[in-house]
Amino acid sequence: MAYDEDLADRIRELVASERGVDEKRMFGGLAFLINGNMAVAASGRGGLLVRVPRADTAKLTRSEHVEPMVMSGREMRGWLHVAPDGVATKRQLQTWVRRGVDYAKSLPPK
């Protein structure tokens, strides 16, 4: 499944004012990086991938429409998958994008 182009456009709009933003095709989706660190991505399986502090993973997966990101059968702590219903509105998407961007900005540039 290809990533949702509309979702990618909505993410672009939200990160447009950030410095150091790059886009890169990754994981079958379109990732948005801040200073070389992935912040969020329009997922190839639908919805949004969000990078968060590892320690916050368990707490955030209790949110509706959120689950840990799983790659090759392994849970990736520090990464979340938000289902399409969890990013349907601008407010929902903005909350998750801000979380991913803020975390990426806290990391050393690559």
Side-chain angles (χ1 to χ4, degrees):
M1 177 173 160
Y3 66 88
D4 180 340
E5 292 278 354
D6 180 57
L7 178 59
D9 287 340
R10 293 171 56 213
I11 296 167
R12 251 183 225 108
E13 184 178 311
L14 292 172
V15 299
S17 64
E18 296 292 335
R19 301 180 99 190
V21 176
D22 287 309
E23 294 180 23
K24 190 175 194 178
R25 290 183 185 270
M26 300 173 78
F27 312 119
L30 184 65
F32 293 82
L33 295 86
I34 307 290
N35 300 320
N37 293 294
M38 188 171 143
V40 295
S43 174
R45 64 178 196 150
L48 184 74
L49 299 179
V50 184
R51 187 170 188 188
V52 297
R54 290 173 61 96
D56 294 351
T57 304
K59 175 182 70 169
L60 292 170
T61 56
R62 291 191 290 263
S63 302
E64 191 174 15
H65 309 294
V66 180
E67 61 187 14
M69 181 176 141
V70 176
M71 282 187 73
S72 303
R74 287 187 26 204
E75 181 179 314
M76 306 296 290
R77 292 188 48 79
W79 296 90
L80 304 174
H81 178 261
V82 183
D85 286 345
V87 292
T89 68
K90 183 173 184 173
R91 185 176 185 179
Q92 287 173 312
L93 180 62
Q94 191 168 31
T95 297
W96 289 111
V97 168
R98 176 66 17 221
R99 183 167 286 161
V101 166
D102 287 348
Y103 183 61
K105 286 168 64 173
S106 77
L107 300 171
K110 289 186 175 182

